[in-house]
Amino acid sequence: MNDNNKNGRRAFIMNTAKGTAALTIGLAGMDQFLVSCNSSRKVATAGSFSTGFTQQPLPYSYTSLENVIDAQTMEIHYAKHAAAYTKNLNDAALAEGVDTKKSVEDVLSRISKYSAKMRNNAGGHYNHEMFWKCMRPKTNDNRPSGALLEAIEREFSSFANFKSQFSDAAKNRFGSGWAWLYTNATKKLVIGSSPNQDNPLMDVSDIKGFPILGLDVWEHAYYLKYQNKRADYVDNWWNVVNWNYVQTRFQAV
Ligand code: MN
């Protein structure tokens, strides 16, 4: 379906009573109809970002983030934890009849229709695929620029204030989960956090939108180097954020 057809369908739905629409498009079309009614659908497929069901190569070596994240943590995290999410996602997709030629974002946007296994592993796969790209080797005075910096300063008054608020979200997330910078339905930048492997693309999530930047605060992400000191991991992590990548996600919205 091309964009014109999509927009046409959306406009059609907006101008038609739900009951009439359901009768017109028939039961086979109900799923698409309900998805089109979901306002998070638009942000979930922002720009060209579309995540497949296979684990992509790490965009740097295990040793590249040393002094912030040690090589052993990177290897176990990527090759064991994240790889397991991808495998379990594909097992669940096969069992539950998900078309893996479609995007993971598509599944996340209606995750309430699937099992807990799908929720945990589709989230786990997506979150880690994004997380690796959100990092790069350590750079001095690491900060965003251009339109993203302007938006951050507009919403959070300063980059320092933004970092402080995001860090608090990461440090205060109880147990396992993620801190996020995301854009909400009105394209405003918002900071939040989610439990386990949930993320803002999920229809069941308390926070909804398109994730721009994510930080993994599961103990497996930092415990070998930082032990119980999650705050030190969070503070140090800012040195390896790939702001170029974050900027491309921001511009896609
Ligand atoms: Mn992780």
Side-chain angles (χ1 to χ4, degrees):
M1 191 187 296
N2 65 34
D3 283 339
N4 283 342
N5 284 344
K6 265 187 196 162
N7 290 339
R9 169 165 281 178
R10 199 167 282 129
F12 162 75
I13 287 162
M14 296 296 279
N15 293 324
T16 312
K18 283 187 181 183
T20 308
L23 287 173
T24 307
I25 63 181
L27 284 177
M30 269 305 282
D31 191 47
Q32 270 301 317
F33 165 66
L34 291 170
V35 166
S36 300
C37 286
N38 182 351
S39 62
S40 70
R41 174 74 177 164
K42 200 168 182 181
V43 288
T45 55
S48 58
F49 286 92
S50 176
T51 304
F53 285 72
T54 53
Q55 188 180 35
Q56 298 302 301
L58 200 63
Y60 36 73
S61 71
Y62 292 138
T63 58
S64 294
L65 307 182
E66 283 282 10
N67 300 321
V68 175
I69 302 175
D70 58 287
Q72 190 183 15
T73 296
M74 283 302 299
E75 180 167 4
I76 295 170
H77 200 176
Y78 176 83
K80 305 293 183 190
H81 291 283
Y85 292 124
T86 306
K87 182 195 179 295
N88 291 332
L89 165 63
N90 281 276
D91 290 349
L94 187 65
E96 297 176 45
V98 165
D99 181 359
T100 55
K101 291 188 194 67
K102 290 187 177 174
S103 70
V104 177
E105 285 87 341
D106 187 66
V107 174
L108 294 173
S109 71
R110 47 200 171 85
I111 201 72
S112 60
K113 294 187 165 84
Y114 298 100
S115 66
K117 180 177 180 179
M118 186 79 83
R119 176 173 173 172
N120 292 335
N121 291 289
H125 170 74
Y126 179 90
N127 295 347
H128 288 88
E129 287 292 291
M130 175 179 169
F131 184 52
W132 312 129
K133 295 188 188 119
C134 281
M135 297 187 288
R136 67 180 174 196
K138 188 173 179 174
T139 50
N140 292 327
D141 192 29
N142 192 26
R143 54 196 287 123
S145 59
L148 176 58
L149 180 60
E150 285 170 25
I152 285 173
E153 289 175 338
R154 195 163 57 239
E155 293 301 335
F156 307 102
S157 78
S158 70
F159 178 58
N161 199 38
F162 156 74
K163 272 172 70 172
S164 171
Q165 286 185 36
F166 186 101
S167 296
D168 285 347
K171 293 169 189 176
N172 295 332
R173 164 48 58 185
F174 184 76
S176 300
W178 291 74
W180 303 102
L181 174 65
Y182 63 99
T183 53
N184 67 12
T186 59
K187 300 188 179 181
K188 198 179 136 179
L189 285 175
V190 187
I191 290 167
S193 72
S194 57
N196 305 316
Q197 294 295 352
D198 285 0
N199 68 44
L201 294 175
M202 292 181 172
D203 61 355
V204 294
S205 179
D206 290 337
I207 57 169
K208 286 194 181 68
F210 182 70
I212 300 295
L213 172 66
L215 172 56
D216 188 344
V217 294
W218 282 59
E219 286 184 347
H220 68 224
Y222 63 86
Y223 210 85
L224 290 179
K225 180 175 171 66
Y226 296 92
Q227 290 86 46
N228 60 313
K229 298 182 284 291
R230 183 194 287 185
D232 289 355
Y233 159 68
V234 172
D235 292 339
N236 215 4
W237 176 74
W238 292 108
N239 292 305
V240 293
V241 172
N242 184 347
W243 286 110
N244 290 338
Y245 178 68
V246 180
Q247 169 94 20
T248 62
R249 295 188 69 93
F250 174 66
Q251 285 173 332
V253 178

